[in-house]
């Protein structure tokens, strides 16, 4: 962490400058941002960025061990199991809390992970606006030595591959209603990626097509999937195709990895950044007697939904017996008050976003997402007061 540079940056922020930043972002996006954007980026050292990047790579690789692949195969429910699974996740994310060790040094501790894309476009645009608005030229939002050009090239190659970009789309459920829709607009600006509502995707023979705004039928050869199964189920969306159909379609990020790399694997990971974790169905008496040391989480919910930071025995008993393997108890992580603000010191959670092209031997960390606040949960929906909310990291040498 770089509290010296953080304080220097924060000293130049005014209500007017922050409003100008938001206005500029929304003009570029062509739509309002429906979550709180923090007044500041999180400024970190290149050494800490490298530490988190390496840890994220190692954790994703551990998820692909023979033992963990065998374990995660049980997550692939028949109606959601997609054919022609890729050998590894094209996109993945790893979320770390910033904590302090016994020596007083800042260290990352794993909070969550997913084999699923994140806000690759919006975080790029947010970083651009922070740097342009405040005249920052000696920091970078990129990891792995990437820059503006190579970052866009990497995403373009990963998402489009060899397909005609007109036959590739970001597919989401009711994208105009999603809080993440600023990312869809940013991805169009960054690499020219179109967005398609999954309700408009139809099966045609062994292929998929979509109906555009003019009523024209267009082929869909490759899908950058952002539709989350939980939400499709909650909304009762009736698709014209089944996930396990034998489809002649490519996936820019195979859907099976959403299940395989998830909180399901947390009890089995042994990386030094991973806190102790156990499924509720496997909780020992010693764990149950020490619930104050744990957080209760559902396996597949997202954006902090269902998280109970102060579980009781009554909360665990309220989970039906047949569902207890779908909930975990994760050792409580003590966030460090490591980000100075005019309102006090904030906690922060930093997401490392990775892309794993076929030609690369290891997943490539590319960009960050940050959430900061002073409460028990770091999600943007829980941090809506000044100097809290959604942000990203800028890396100083």
């Amino acid at each position: 962490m770089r509290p010296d540079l953080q304080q220097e940056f924060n000293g130049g922020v005014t209500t007017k400058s922050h409003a100008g930043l938001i206005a500029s972002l929304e003009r570029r996006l062509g739509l309002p941002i429906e979550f709180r954007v923090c007044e500041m980026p999180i400024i970190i050292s290149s050494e800490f960025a490298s530490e988190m990047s390496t840890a994220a790579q190692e954790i994703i690789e551990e998820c692909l061990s023979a033992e963990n692949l065998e374990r995660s195969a049980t997550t692939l429910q028949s109606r959601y199991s997609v054919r022609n699974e890729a050998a590894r996740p094209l996109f993945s994310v790893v979320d770390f809390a910033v904590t302090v060790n016994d020596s007083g040094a800042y260290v990352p501790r794993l909070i969550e992970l997913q084999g699923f894309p994140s806000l690759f476009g919006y975080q790029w645009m947010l970083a651009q606006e922070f740097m342009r608005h405040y005249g920052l030229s000696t920091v970078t939002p990129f990891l792995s030595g990437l820059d503006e050009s190579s970052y866009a090239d990497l995403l373009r190659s990963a998402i489009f591959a060899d397909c005609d970009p007109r036959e590739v789309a970001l597919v989401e459920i009711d994208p105009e209603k999603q809080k993440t829709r600023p990312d869809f607009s940013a991805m169009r600006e960054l690499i020219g990626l179109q967005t398609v509502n999954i309700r408009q995707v139809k099966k045609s023979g062994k292929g998929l097509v979509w109906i555009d705004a003019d009523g024209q039928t267009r082929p869909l050869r490759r899908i950058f999937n952002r539709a989350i199964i939980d939400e499709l189920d909650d909304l009762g969306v009736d698709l014209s195709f089944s996930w396990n159909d034998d489809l002649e379609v490519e996936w820019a990020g195979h859907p099976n990895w959403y299940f395989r790399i998830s909180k399901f694997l947390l009890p089995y990971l042994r990386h030094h950044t991973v806190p102790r974790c156990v499924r509720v169905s496997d909780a020992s008496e010693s764990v149950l007697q020490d619930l104050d040391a744990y957080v209760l989480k559902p396996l597949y919910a997202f954006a902090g939904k269902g998280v109970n930071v102060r579980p009781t025995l009554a909360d665990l008993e309220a989970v039906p017996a047949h569902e207890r393997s779908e909930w975990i108890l994760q050792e409580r992580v003590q966030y460090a008050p490591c980000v100075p603000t005019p309102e006090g010191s904030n906690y922060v959670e930093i997401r490392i976003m990775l892309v794993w092209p076929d030609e690369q031997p290891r997943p490539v960390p590319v960009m960050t997402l940050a959430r900061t606040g002073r409460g028990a949960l770091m999600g943007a929906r829980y941090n809506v007061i000044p100097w809290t909310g959604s942000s990203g990291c800028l890396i100083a040498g």
Side-chain angles (χ1 to χ4, degrees), residues 45-343:
S45 68
S46 56
E47 292 81 8
F48 194 58
S50 178
E51 181 180 355
M52 288 190 293
S53 294
T54 298
Q57 286 178 308
E58 292 170 348
I59 288 167
I60 294 302
E61 289 170 336
E62 188 181 351
C63 291
L64 269 66
S65 71
E67 295 83 0
N68 283 331
L69 285 176
E70 183 177 354
R71 289 176 177 127
S72 66
T74 64
T75 68
L76 302 178
Q77 304 170 40
S78 58
R79 66 188 179 118
Y80 297 136
S81 184
V82 178
R83 296 171 185 246
N84 304 313
E85 180 178 296
R88 56 199 194 185
L90 182 56
F91 301 103
S92 55
V93 300
V94 182
D95 292 356
F96 294 108
V98 177
T99 71
V100 174
N101 65 15
D102 293 339
S103 302
Y106 293 120
V107 293
R109 292 280 280 167
L110 180 72
I111 295 298
E112 290 196 24
L113 72 170
Q114 284 186 328
F116 195 74
S118 191
L119 308 185
F120 287 99
Y122 172 76
Q123 292 302 130
W124 157 79
M125 186 180 287
L126 175 64
Q128 260 197 350
E129 288 296 315
F130 267 128
M131 294 175 69
R132 184 183 64 81
H133 224 68
Y134 290 98
L136 306 176
S137 59
T138 61
V139 291
T140 178
F142 302 109
L143 302 170
S144 303
L146 295 170
D147 59 19
E148 288 272 354
S149 177
S150 56
Y151 177 67
D153 287 345
L154 178 59
L155 286 183
R156 196 176 289 112
S157 174
I159 292 173
F160 295 132
D162 296 326
C163 293
D164 183 336
R166 294 171 296 182
E167 298 177 349
V168 180
L170 183 160
V171 173
E172 173 62 289
I173 172 66
D174 300 333
E176 71 284 353
K177 297 180 181 178
Q178 297 290 340
K179 285 191 176 181
T180 53
R181 64 187 178 134
D183 185 59
F184 312 155
S185 179
M187 288 294 279
R188 176 177 283 277
E189 179 178 327
L190 178 60
I191 61 171
L193 179 66
Q194 63 187 334
T195 298
V196 173
N197 191 334
I198 198 170
R199 295 182 191 269
Q200 304 302 318
V201 175
K202 308 297 180 184
K203 189 174 179 182
S204 178
K206 295 186 69 175
L208 294 177
V209 298
W210 64 285
I211 313 299
D212 68 14
D214 297 324
Q216 298 295 312
T217 300
R218 300 185 181 279
L220 187 56
R221 309 285 188 200
R222 187 171 169 88
I223 296 175
F224 178 55
N225 182 53
R226 294 287 295 275
I228 295 176
I229 297 296
D230 312 58
E231 190 170 11
L232 290 170
D233 281 352
D234 289 347
L235 294 174
V237 177
D238 185 19
L239 301 178
S240 76
F241 66 93
S242 296
W243 292 101
N244 49 17
D245 283 344
D246 186 13
L247 298 171
E248 292 178 351
V249 65
E250 297 179 14
W251 297 94
H254 196 281
N256 287 3
W257 289 106
Y258 172 75
F259 294 99
R260 282 189 175 274
I261 296 181
S262 65
K263 289 191 284 289
F264 171 86
L265 282 178
L266 290 181
Y268 308 106
L269 298 179
R270 297 295 175 258
H271 194 270
H272 67 272
T273 63
V274 180
R276 185 182 180 193
C277 188
V278 62
R279 287 191 287 186
V280 170
S281 57
D282 299 331
S284 65
E285 189 61 33
S286 62
V287 169
L288 297 178
Q289 291 177 357
D290 191 27
L291 282 181
D292 284 346
Y294 292 87
V295 174
L296 178 65
K297 296 181 177 182
L299 282 185
Y300 295 112
F302 56 97
K305 288 172 60 177
V307 174
N308 183 340
V309 297
R310 297 290 177 188
T312 64
L313 279 174
D315 294 326
L316 268 60
E317 290 167 356
V319 179
H322 68 280
E323 293 182 10
R324 290 179 185 176
S325 63
E326 298 177 7
W327 290 76
I328 58 169
L329 287 165
Q330 184 179 34
E331 183 183 1
R332 186 185 310 281
V333 171
Q334 183 60 54
Y335 289 73
C338 59
V339 183
T341 83
E343 304 294 331

